[in-house]
Amino acid sequence: MREFFSNIYLRSFLSACIAIYVPLFMWGNTIAHLPYFMNKIDMPSSTLGFFFMILSGIQIIFSQFAGRLIIPKIGSKNTLSIGILIFSLFPVIVIYSQNSFHFLLASVPCGFGVGLFYTTCTAITGIAEKKTNKILQPLWGGFLSFGFLCGAIFSFMWQFMNFSTFNLFILLSFFGFVGFLLIRQYGFSRDKDSIDKSEKFKLPELKILIFGMYLFIFYASVGIVGDWSAVWFEKELKTTLLLASLAVVAWGSGESIGRFLGSYFIRLINEKFVGAYLGMIGCFLFFVSILTMNPYIILIGIFLIGICSSNFYPVVIRFALRQSTQNINTTAANLSTLAMGGFLIGPALVGFSADYFGLTFNVQVLCFIWFLNTSLFLYSVRKQ
């Protein structure tokens, strides 16, 4: 651990981990409280779909600005800092929401913030891997999942103790400021920042576009479990709000365990098995659990799909960055844009289709989509 504080690239990687852990902690609390907000303002599922759509649309635009213009101009540390500060406005807007329109407004700072720090974190991690010869993408993804998990657990405990939801979301905004201070401490100084210079806009290379499409489908399918599980449990499986929040905990637990062990398993076995074959196994097990319609068995299924699918994103990123001829922040911006495009389409479509077909149907369909997407990825890297 001492190496992470002494090596300049690992220190910067640590700032990227902080920059993803803090907002995902805030996001985990929010997802676990979605049934509360939907009941409070009588919000339909379609409004939540619009929320995800606006968030992703803004994120897509600003991920491109971040990768091509903002990071090269002001440096990665400043970009991360600004992103966290903007994102920290979002819990305050959410808790003061009195209707669906106010709730939708919260998606604006959320999208701005994610667009700035997500691309920057991906670029920093890629540079740290290149400079240190360490496998860091799964570890960074572990902090992403662990932040989401800790947020879900914190939310569960907060609800269990029957504390004020208003106070929780004010506290979350303050927590974002703590993240800002930590990033100022550990991020690259401007004279040491090795982020490449900006590039003019051009379409991604074909191979990067293909890898980006795998991420697009990934976020459009598996991400539905993390974002909609609490609502699914409360609305269709007829569980309590407390048990519904455990669905988010199960997802976050599986992803965190899978990603923190990802580097070890990649060295022990290989990237294809850890990133793809495990995901196919997890999809099958999750689908079987859904057929039971037993919320406790489904909790186990969510935990397993979380573990098994957790390293698809970091493995695809590693394959893509190794093959790209463009600079690393531009490639990271392109991959983030395509990935979040899936988040724009998938969860948003669920918001509309849930009112007609139900969330259970949507979750079953995503298993087949995920299985097909993973098969296509394996085919494209069969000779690598």
Side-chain angles (χ1 to χ4, degrees), residues 49-60 216 219-220 337-350 352:
F50 273 119
F51 177 90
F52 291 132
M53 182 180 294
I54 297 170
L55 185 162
S56 302
I58 295 174
Q59 189 276 337
I60 286 171
F216 176 95
Y219 270 87
T337 297
L338 290 165
M340 292 306 294
F343 191 70
L344 171 68
I345 299 298
L349 284 178
V350 172
F352 302 118

Tab-separated table of all heavy atoms in Angstrom, residues 49-60 216 219-220 337-350 352:
chain	number	residue	atom	x	y	z
A	49	GLY	N	-37.467	6.762	-16.325
A	49	GLY	CA	-36.817	6.519	-17.605
A	49	GLY	C	-36.285	7.796	-18.221
A	49	GLY	O	-35.171	7.833	-18.743
A	50	PHE	N	-37.075	8.874	-18.160
A	50	PHE	CA	-36.624	10.181	-18.646
A	50	PHE	C	-35.411	10.671	-17.860
A	50	PHE	O	-34.492	11.278	-18.415
A	50	PHE	CB	-37.757	11.209	-18.545
A	50	PHE	CG	-38.666	11.256	-19.735
A	50	PHE	CD1	-40.012	10.972	-19.601
A	50	PHE	CD2	-38.170	11.573	-20.987
A	50	PHE	CE1	-40.864	11.011	-20.700
A	50	PHE	CE2	-38.997	11.626	-22.097
A	50	PHE	CZ	-40.355	11.339	-21.948
A	51	PHE	N	-35.414	10.439	-16.546
A	51	PHE	CA	-34.295	10.845	-15.705
A	51	PHE	C	-32.998	10.207	-16.209
A	51	PHE	O	-31.981	10.892	-16.394
A	51	PHE	CB	-34.561	10.421	-14.253
A	51	PHE	CG	-33.431	10.727	-13.307
A	51	PHE	CD1	-33.380	11.943	-12.642
A	51	PHE	CD2	-32.415	9.807	-13.076
A	51	PHE	CE1	-32.340	12.232	-11.762
A	51	PHE	CE2	-31.373	10.081	-12.211
A	51	PHE	CZ	-31.331	11.297	-11.550
A	52	PHE	N	-33.016	8.890	-16.437
A	52	PHE	CA	-31.827	8.191	-16.935
A	52	PHE	C	-31.433	8.686	-18.327
A	52	PHE	O	-30.247	8.782	-18.655
A	52	PHE	CB	-32.066	6.681	-16.970
A	52	PHE	CG	-32.181	6.042	-15.612
A	52	PHE	CD1	-33.210	5.176	-15.320
A	52	PHE	CD2	-31.250	6.313	-14.623
A	52	PHE	CE1	-33.315	4.581	-14.073
A	52	PHE	CE2	-31.349	5.734	-13.363
A	52	PHE	CZ	-32.378	4.855	-13.087
A	53	MET	N	-32.427	9.009	-19.138
A	53	MET	CA	-32.147	9.464	-20.499
A	53	MET	C	-31.457	10.824	-20.495
A	53	MET	O	-30.455	11.028	-21.192
A	53	MET	CB	-33.456	9.541	-21.301
A	53	MET	CG	-33.269	9.951	-22.748
A	53	MET	SD	-34.842	10.032	-23.653
A	53	MET	CE	-35.342	8.315	-23.642
A	54	ILE	N	-31.968	11.781	-19.695
A	54	ILE	CA	-31.359	13.109	-19.631
A	54	ILE	C	-29.953	13.016	-19.057
A	54	ILE	O	-29.001	13.616	-19.573
A	54	ILE	CB	-32.224	14.056	-18.781
A	54	ILE	CG1	-33.592	14.251	-19.431
A	54	ILE	CG2	-31.533	15.406	-18.615
A	54	ILE	CD1	-34.597	14.970	-18.546
A	55	LEU	N	-29.818	12.255	-17.962
A	55	LEU	CA	-28.507	12.059	-17.338
A	55	LEU	C	-27.482	11.559	-18.356
A	55	LEU	O	-26.380	12.105	-18.483
A	55	LEU	CB	-28.649	11.061	-16.189
A	55	LEU	CG	-27.456	10.747	-15.278
A	55	LEU	CD1	-27.961	10.104	-13.984
A	55	LEU	CD2	-26.444	9.812	-15.922
A	56	SER	N	-27.870	10.511	-19.088
A	56	SER	CA	-26.936	9.901	-20.040
A	56	SER	C	-26.641	10.813	-21.214
A	56	SER	O	-25.510	10.861	-21.706
A	56	SER	CB	-27.501	8.571	-20.541
A	56	SER	OG	-27.748	7.692	-19.476
A	57	GLY	N	-27.653	11.536	-21.684
A	57	GLY	CA	-27.431	12.453	-22.801
A	57	GLY	C	-26.421	13.533	-22.464
A	57	GLY	O	-25.510	13.827	-23.249
A	58	ILE	N	-26.561	14.133	-21.280
A	58	ILE	CA	-25.606	15.157	-20.842
A	58	ILE	C	-24.229	14.541	-20.623
A	58	ILE	O	-23.197	15.132	-20.981
A	58	ILE	CB	-26.106	15.840	-19.555
A	58	ILE	CG1	-27.399	16.599	-19.846
A	58	ILE	CG2	-25.050	16.795	-18.993
A	58	ILE	CD1	-28.055	17.184	-18.610
A	59	GLN	N	-24.203	13.347	-20.034
A	59	GLN	CA	-22.922	12.677	-19.796
A	59	GLN	C	-22.183	12.402	-21.099
A	59	GLN	O	-20.963	12.577	-21.187
A	59	GLN	CB	-23.161	11.357	-19.042
A	59	GLN	CG	-21.895	10.683	-18.551
A	59	GLN	CD	-21.229	9.837	-19.618
A	59	GLN	OE1	-21.871	9.397	-20.555
A	59	GLN	NE2	-19.932	9.607	-19.461
A	60	ILE	N	-22.906	11.980	-22.121
A	60	ILE	CA	-22.293	11.679	-23.416
A	60	ILE	C	-21.610	12.925	-23.994
A	60	ILE	O	-20.473	12.867	-24.473
A	60	ILE	CB	-23.360	11.138	-24.394
A	60	ILE	CG1	-23.732	9.701	-24.009
A	60	ILE	CG2	-22.855	11.182	-25.836
A	60	ILE	CD1	-24.909	9.160	-24.775
A	216	PHE	N	-21.812	-0.567	-25.011
A	216	PHE	CA	-23.140	0.012	-25.198
A	216	PHE	C	-24.217	-0.988	-24.806
A	216	PHE	O	-25.136	-0.681	-24.024
A	216	PHE	CB	-23.302	0.425	-26.666
A	216	PHE	CG	-24.667	0.960	-27.029
A	216	PHE	CD1	-24.903	2.329	-27.025
A	216	PHE	CD2	-25.700	0.104	-27.375
A	216	PHE	CE1	-26.164	2.830	-27.367
A	216	PHE	CE2	-26.956	0.590	-27.698
A	216	PHE	CZ	-27.185	1.957	-27.693
A	219	TYR	N	-24.219	-1.797	-20.933
A	219	TYR	CA	-24.897	-0.807	-20.101
A	219	TYR	C	-26.398	-0.762	-20.374
A	219	TYR	O	-27.175	-0.377	-19.501
A	219	TYR	CB	-24.286	0.577	-20.313
A	219	TYR	CG	-23.146	0.856	-19.373
A	219	TYR	CD1	-21.847	0.472	-19.695
A	219	TYR	CD2	-23.355	1.485	-18.158
A	219	TYR	CE1	-20.794	0.710	-18.834
A	219	TYR	CE2	-22.315	1.737	-17.288
A	219	TYR	CZ	-21.030	1.342	-17.626
A	219	TYR	OH	-19.994	1.576	-16.761
A	220	ALA	N	-26.786	-1.149	-21.590
A	220	ALA	CA	-28.211	-1.148	-21.926
A	220	ALA	C	-28.934	-2.357	-21.364
A	220	ALA	O	-30.165	-2.385	-21.350
A	220	ALA	CB	-28.386	-1.115	-23.439
A	337	THR	N	-18.402	7.395	-24.077
A	337	THR	CA	-19.565	7.902	-24.795
A	337	THR	C	-20.444	6.764	-25.293
A	337	THR	O	-21.666	6.778	-25.121
A	337	THR	CB	-19.121	8.765	-25.995
A	337	THR	OG1	-18.402	9.892	-25.502
A	337	THR	CG2	-20.317	9.236	-26.805
A	338	LEU	N	-19.808	5.766	-25.908
A	338	LEU	CA	-20.569	4.632	-26.429
A	338	LEU	C	-21.206	3.830	-25.298
A	338	LEU	O	-22.359	3.396	-25.393
A	338	LEU	CB	-19.654	3.742	-27.270
A	338	LEU	CG	-19.216	4.353	-28.602
A	338	LEU	CD1	-18.031	3.585	-29.199
A	338	LEU	CD2	-20.379	4.359	-29.586
A	339	ALA	N	-20.446	3.642	-24.202
A	339	ALA	CA	-20.977	2.887	-23.071
A	339	ALA	C	-22.198	3.586	-22.477
A	339	ALA	O	-23.238	2.969	-22.223
A	339	ALA	CB	-19.899	2.707	-22.005
A	340	MET	N	-22.088	4.888	-22.253
A	340	MET	CA	-23.190	5.623	-21.652
A	340	MET	C	-24.350	5.809	-22.618
A	340	MET	O	-25.476	6.076	-22.203
A	340	MET	CB	-22.701	6.969	-21.128
A	340	MET	CG	-21.764	6.867	-19.945
A	340	MET	SD	-22.421	5.892	-18.557
A	340	MET	CE	-23.790	6.924	-18.024
A	341	GLY	N	-24.069	5.642	-23.918
A	341	GLY	CA	-25.168	5.622	-24.879
A	341	GLY	C	-26.103	4.453	-24.592
A	341	GLY	O	-27.328	4.564	-24.733
A	342	GLY	N	-25.521	3.334	-24.172
A	342	GLY	CA	-26.338	2.190	-23.772
A	342	GLY	C	-27.152	2.500	-22.542
A	342	GLY	O	-28.320	2.109	-22.426
A	343	PHE	N	-26.539	3.208	-21.605
A	343	PHE	CA	-27.250	3.608	-20.397
A	343	PHE	C	-28.374	4.586	-20.737
A	343	PHE	O	-29.389	4.638	-20.046
A	343	PHE	CB	-26.261	4.258	-19.422
A	343	PHE	CG	-26.810	4.465	-18.047
A	343	PHE	CD1	-27.046	3.396	-17.216
A	343	PHE	CD2	-27.078	5.742	-17.578
A	343	PHE	CE1	-27.556	3.582	-15.938
A	343	PHE	CE2	-27.586	5.944	-16.304
A	343	PHE	CZ	-27.828	4.852	-15.483
A	344	LEU	N	-28.177	5.338	-21.810
A	344	LEU	CA	-29.213	6.259	-22.278
A	344	LEU	C	-30.416	5.485	-22.821
A	344	LEU	O	-31.567	5.827	-22.549
A	344	LEU	CB	-28.629	7.163	-23.370
A	344	LEU	CG	-29.576	8.062	-24.155
A	344	LEU	CD1	-30.135	9.133	-23.243
A	344	LEU	CD2	-28.859	8.690	-25.335
A	345	ILE	N	-30.139	4.407	-23.569
A	345	ILE	CA	-31.207	3.678	-24.240
A	345	ILE	C	-31.861	2.635	-23.331
A	345	ILE	O	-33.087	2.596	-23.187
A	345	ILE	CB	-30.664	2.981	-25.507
A	345	ILE	CG1	-30.111	4.022	-26.489
A	345	ILE	CG2	-31.749	2.132	-26.162
A	345	ILE	CD1	-31.131	4.996	-26.999
A	346	GLY	N	-31.021	1.779	-22.699
A	346	GLY	CA	-31.542	0.624	-21.972
A	346	GLY	C	-32.460	0.957	-20.807
A	346	GLY	O	-33.676	0.688	-20.861
A	347	PRO	N	-31.921	1.536	-19.723
A	347	PRO	CA	-32.782	1.846	-18.576
A	347	PRO	C	-33.929	2.789	-18.916
A	347	PRO	O	-34.993	2.728	-18.303
A	347	PRO	CB	-31.805	2.500	-17.588
A	347	PRO	CG	-30.471	1.921	-17.944
A	347	PRO	CD	-30.506	1.794	-19.444
A	348	ALA	N	-33.702	3.676	-19.896
A	348	ALA	CA	-34.783	4.577	-20.300
A	348	ALA	C	-35.924	3.802	-20.952
A	348	ALA	O	-37.102	4.037	-20.659
A	348	ALA	CB	-34.238	5.632	-21.257
A	349	LEU	N	-35.592	2.847	-21.835
A	349	LEU	CA	-36.619	2.026	-22.467
A	349	LEU	C	-37.392	1.218	-21.437
A	349	LEU	O	-38.605	1.021	-21.564
A	349	LEU	CB	-35.984	1.090	-23.504
A	349	LEU	CG	-35.562	1.715	-24.828
A	349	LEU	CD1	-34.902	0.664	-25.714
A	349	LEU	CD2	-36.763	2.328	-25.546
A	350	VAL	N	-36.665	0.739	-20.417
A	350	VAL	CA	-37.323	-0.012	-19.354
A	350	VAL	C	-38.362	0.858	-18.662
A	350	VAL	O	-39.449	0.395	-18.300
A	350	VAL	CB	-36.291	-0.531	-18.330
A	350	VAL	CG1	-36.986	-1.135	-17.122
A	350	VAL	CG2	-35.389	-1.567	-18.968
A	352	PHE	N	-40.237	3.059	-19.905
A	352	PHE	CA	-41.466	3.123	-20.689
A	352	PHE	C	-42.141	1.751	-20.791
A	352	PHE	O	-43.347	1.628	-20.638
A	352	PHE	CB	-41.169	3.659	-22.088
A	352	PHE	CG	-40.524	5.024	-22.078
A	352	PHE	CD1	-39.252	5.215	-22.597
A	352	PHE	CD2	-41.186	6.109	-21.529
A	352	PHE	CE1	-38.653	6.464	-22.576
A	352	PHE	CE2	-40.604	7.368	-21.507
A	352	PHE	CZ	-39.332	7.544	-22.038
